[in-house]
């Protein structure tokens, strides 16, 4: 019966987490945890709080800061807050101009809004910075997909200028890949 008593005592214990986030890292960790559960709408506020505190008094390492900005932008995009998403990406590019994922995110926004020139420029920066980071052994997460794989760039590929730019990017950064123009957007 000692075992039953012991088990009943263990079962009666309740752990309470009364700690409230107070630092950029605390909010970052909380927001990241929620983001990874795909609860994007709930992740936005702690990630925004982390970014605000990080702007005031930087304490995060570069990798954490990049993750913070990327997750916040992605959560805003997932909840269709595109204007805020664009602001976060632009802020990120301003403060960390070589982080290629931010340029890729901006390229997607520009492509959706029909701004071909800005989309092409952002794509070129994204792949150029990714290539440089990879060469330096500083790669961050998974590699960016070729633009012909992402349907967001289909409209861009439907124009001669856009298609020529996409072909040039793929030939430069994905040599040997079989570049195919999206069928649904091919010019007749």
């Amino acid at each position: 019966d000692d075992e039953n008593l012991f088990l009943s005592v263990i079962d009666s214990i309740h752990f309470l987490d009364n700690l409230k986030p107070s630092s950029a890292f605390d909010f970052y960790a909380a927001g990241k945890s929620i983001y990874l559960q795909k609860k994007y709408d709930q992740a936005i506020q702690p990630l925004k709080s982390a970014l605000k505190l990080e702007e005031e008094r930087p304490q995060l390492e570069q990798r954490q800061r990049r993750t913070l900005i990327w997750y916040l932008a992605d959560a805003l995009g997932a909840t269709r807050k595109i204007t805020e998403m664009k602001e976060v990406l632009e802020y990120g590019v301003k403060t960390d101009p070589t982080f290629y994922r931010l340029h890729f995110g901006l390229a997607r926004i520009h492509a959706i809004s029909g701004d071909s020139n800005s989309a092409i420029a952002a794509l070129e920066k994204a792949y150029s910075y990714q290539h440089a980071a990879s060469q330096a052994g500083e790669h961050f997460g998974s590699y960016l997909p070729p633009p012909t794989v992402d349907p967001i760039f289909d409209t861009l590929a439907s124009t001669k200028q856009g298609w020529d730019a996409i072909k040039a990017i793929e030939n430069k950064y994905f040599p040997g890949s079989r570049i195919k123009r999206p069928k649904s957007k091919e010019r007749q």
Side-chain angles (χ1 to χ4, degrees):
D1 279 322
D2 288 338
E3 183 178 345
N4 287 336
L5 176 62
F6 174 75
L7 292 174
S8 67
V9 169
I10 294 295
D11 289 340
S12 69
I13 296 174
H14 298 283
F15 293 98
L16 298 175
D17 183 5
N18 290 331
L19 299 177
K20 294 191 183 214
S22 60
S23 68
F25 181 81
D26 292 343
F27 281 106
Y28 159 74
K32 180 181 175 185
S33 175
I34 297 166
Y35 173 90
L36 293 173
Q37 296 172 47
K38 300 187 184 321
K39 297 177 182 175
Y40 303 118
D41 57 331
Q42 295 173 30
I44 292 170
Q45 197 51 54
L47 292 172
K48 278 184 176 180
S49 295
L51 186 57
K52 184 176 189 294
L53 289 171
E54 183 66 10
E55 289 171 344
E56 293 169 3
R57 196 170 35 114
Q59 72 176 83
L60 298 176
E61 296 175 11
Q62 181 186 46
R63 189 169 197 80
Q64 294 167 330
R65 194 164 200 282
R66 286 179 166 185
T67 302
L68 165 62
I69 292 170
W70 182 250
Y71 283 4
L72 176 55
D74 195 45
L76 290 165
T79 56
R80 308 227 182 264
K81 296 175 180 161
I82 305 303
T83 302
E84 286 182 75
M85 176 189 185
K86 184 178 179 186
E87 290 169 0
V88 169
L89 290 170
E90 287 172 341
Y91 168 79
V93 164
K94 188 175 94 183
T95 60
D96 190 358
T98 63
F99 185 32
Y100 53 90
R101 290 195 170 282
L102 304 178
H103 291 284
F104 190 76
L106 283 173
R108 296 181 93 232
I109 289 174
H110 295 312
I112 290 168
S113 66
D115 185 351
S116 299
N117 292 333
S118 295
I120 292 166
L123 274 174
E124 179 58 44
K125 286 179 184 176
Y127 291 112
S128 173
Y129 289 135
Q130 175 181 259
H131 179 73
S134 182
Q135 295 296 310
E138 299 170 357
H139 193 72
F140 185 89
S142 61
Y143 286 92
L144 300 174
T148 52
V149 174
D150 191 334
I152 284 186
F153 298 114
D154 286 359
T155 301
L156 181 62
S158 70
T159 67
K160 180 173 179 5
Q161 175 197 14
W163 179 242
D164 289 347
I166 286 173
K167 282 193 312 187
I169 287 169
E170 290 208 11
N171 285 329
K172 184 174 183 178
Y173 298 106
F174 300 93
S177 69
R178 297 174 54 161
I179 304 167
K180 293 183 181 177
R181 188 178 212 155
K183 291 184 189 235
S184 62
K185 299 296 177 184
E186 266 186 280
R187 289 179 286 141
Q188 303 294 325

